[in-house]
């Protein structure tokens, strides 16, 4: 029984006057002054029992706890969200955005699962890296770069996909754009000998297709003796060698080993006006630090591999990558250094991205025609949004509902105009080649329907 109510015997006397709270005084008031009190011992025992009962119920009253729920400030503040008022600090059971918090809880990965998967992947990557260093000449200088959603703490549902880049440092190279969008380049050595000379074409450019083929063969040699590790079929235009790890007692793990060239030089001119936007979000100092990190090139092309420009085939070009910068920005994403730290204010930037990735995945499963849309579109949308709403107060954790709604509106806008600029290369439209306007419009409508109807897809 709750400690807030009185016993039934007490409730029955609630019509009595205020002085009836003391049972002794109430009894004496009802009897004539001269009449002796009957059975005083029994009445006294009744008083003791009642007091003991009240005291016991007060001690048994359960304490309220928020364990297992996202942090919520204790103070109550009203916030306008469209035409209604939402009160911060309310229990999520009364919050219209409860479905979002419930979904986030469902997307959490168990620590044990995460640890076991990471251990398996780390052991395999180390084995491949050691093989490259000891058994090859062209890949002996490889370094590993851990990127992707798992290492950015953005993985959802299961720790079943990992991306690791094995990079080869190159110096004194001539980088020339392939096409007009600034995302693809041919790479040539300026002078001197290099361990990659065997992959040079007649015009001295490094053949991306030739180097990727050799890289794939070496990975295959390394893992063929391993039990439970298989090599997936090569995908057209894909820069990764995909390994499928089974027999671990868990869900199968997909590991993408991506070949990359590490370029330690100034960024190409096409990047001007890209990352410069983070000045008002993370500050000029952070921007300068990021631009000093160099960049990476991966063997990837779009369209037909036989297309030629200035004697270079599309299959031999490289796409520029700033995945290391993305990881750094998303790890330290606050306008204040203490954002999301133990003693700081928690924001919902990553929560919003996880929900958008999950929503996109469910819509793709519902309609296979949306297969070309990917989580990178969601990540890029968030990066642009962070440069528009720069303060941590714009992304308070308790404002998850309106923040997520706004991010979805941003994504819908990009889809409706079929324009989502690469965060680092403004001239590169991520919704350009390979994404027809009809599918963009359809996805925008589906997201709007979910947003306006309380996300029924999350309730299935």
């Amino acid at each position: 029984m709750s400690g807030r109510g009185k016993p039934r015997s007490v409730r029955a006397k609630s019509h009595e006057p205020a002085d009836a709270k003391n049972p002794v005084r109430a009894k004496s008031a009802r009897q004539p002054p001269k009449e002796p009190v009957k059975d005083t011992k029994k009445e006294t025992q009744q008083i003791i029992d009642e007091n003991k009962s009240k005291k016991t119920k007060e001690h048994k009253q359960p304490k309220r706890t928020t364990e297992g729920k996202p942090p919520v400030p204790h103070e109550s503040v009203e916030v306008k969200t469209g035409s209604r008022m939402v009160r911060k600090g309310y229990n999520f059971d009364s919050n219209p955005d409860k479905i979002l918090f419930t979904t986030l809880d469902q997307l959490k990965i168990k620590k044990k699962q995460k640890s076991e998967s990471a251990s398996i992947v780390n052991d395999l990557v180390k084995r491949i890296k050691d093989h490259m260093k000891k058994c090859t000449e062209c890949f002996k200088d490889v370094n590993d770069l851990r990127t992707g959603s798992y290492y950015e703490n953005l993985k959802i549902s299961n720790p079943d996909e990992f991306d690791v880049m094995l990079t080869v440092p190159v110096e004194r190279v001539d980088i020339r754009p392939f096409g007009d969008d600034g995302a693809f380049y041919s790479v040539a050595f300026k002078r001197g000998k290099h361990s990659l000379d065997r992959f040079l074409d007649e015009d001295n450019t490094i053949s991306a297709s030739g180097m990727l083929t050799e890289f794939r063969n070496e990975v295959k040699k390394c893992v063929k003796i391993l039990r439970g590790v298989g090599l997936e079929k090569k995908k057209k235009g894909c820069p990764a060698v995909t390994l499928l790890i089974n027999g671990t007692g868990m869900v199968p793990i997909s590991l993408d080993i991506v070949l990359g060239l590490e370029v330690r030089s100034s960024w190409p001119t096409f990047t001007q006006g890209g990352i410069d936007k983070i000045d008002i979000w993370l500050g000029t100092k952070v921007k300068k630090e990021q631009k000093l990190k160099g960049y990476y090139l991966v063997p990837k092309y779009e369209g037909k591999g036989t297309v030629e420009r200035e004697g270079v085939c599309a299959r031999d070009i490289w796409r520029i990558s700033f995945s290391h910068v993305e990881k750094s920005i998303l790890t330290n994403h606050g306008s204040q250094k203490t954002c999301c730290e133990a003693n700081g204010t928690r924001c919902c930037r990553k929560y919003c991205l996880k929900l958008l990735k999950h929503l996109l995945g469910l819509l793709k499963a519902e309609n296979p025609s949306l297969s070309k849309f990917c989580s990178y579109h969601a990540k890029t949308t968030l990066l642009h949004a962070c440069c528009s709403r720069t303060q941590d107060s714009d992304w308070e954790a308790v404002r998850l509902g309106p923040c997520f709604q706004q991010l979805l509106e941003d994504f819908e806008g990009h889809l409706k105009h079929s324009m989502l600029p690469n965060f680092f290369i403004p001239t590169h439209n991520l919704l350009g080649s390979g994404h027809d306007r009809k599918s963009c419009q359809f996805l925008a409508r589906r997201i709007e329907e979910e947003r306006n109807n309380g996300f029924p897809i999350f309730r299935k």
Side-chain angles (χ1 to χ4, degrees), residues 267-295 322-330 383-384 387 421-427:
W267 292 11
T269 55
F270 279 99
T271 61
Q272 292 178 2
I275 196 175
D276 297 329
K277 298 188 294 289
I278 71 170
D279 279 353
I280 56 174
W281 169 25
L282 301 175
T284 304
K285 183 180 178 181
V286 172
K287 181 192 73 174
K288 289 181 178 179
E289 289 174 351
Q290 300 300 334
K291 296 190 76 169
L292 289 173
K293 292 181 178 179
Y295 56 93
F322 296 98
S323 57
H324 59 308
V325 179
E326 292 167 8
K327 178 182 175 182
S328 178
I329 289 175
L330 290 171
L383 291 174
H384 284 301
C387 289
N422 185 312
F423 186 72
F424 300 92
I425 309 168
T427 52

Side-chain angles (χ1 to χ4, degrees), residues 18 28 41 44 50 98 124 145 154 160 171 207 262 291 298 308 344 386 413 441 446:
S28 62
K41 184 177 179 180
T44 304
E50 286 184 358
K98 177 184 174 183
L124 183 54
L145 178 67
L154 288 167
D160 56 355
E171 298 178 354
S207 169
E262 181 184 2
K291 296 190 76 169
V298 298
E308 281 193 27
C386 287
Q441 297 287 342
R446 282 295 291 116

Side-chain angles (χ1 to χ4, degrees), residues 85-140:
M85 300 294 289
V86 175
R87 188 177 293 275
K88 296 180 187 178
Y90 268 22
N91 187 298
F92 291 129
D93 291 341
S94 62
N95 192 315
D97 300 315
K98 177 184 174 183
I99 184 62
L100 301 182
F101 291 98
T102 301
T103 303
L104 282 173
D105 282 338
Q106 294 170 349
L107 296 178
K108 285 181 181 177
I109 302 175
K110 294 180 180 179
K111 288 184 178 180
K112 184 180 178 182
Q113 269 189 311
K114 185 185 290 189
S115 176
E116 290 175 348
S117 295
S119 177
I120 292 169
V121 168
N122 289 340
D123 289 345
L124 183 54
V125 170
K126 184 179 184 303
R127 181 184 286 267
I128 294 172
K129 184 179 172 183
D130 290 344
H131 170 84
M132 296 293 183
K133 287 182 174 291
K134 295 175 182 177
C135 305
T136 71
E137 179 63 27
C138 49
F139 303 119
K140 65 181 180 180

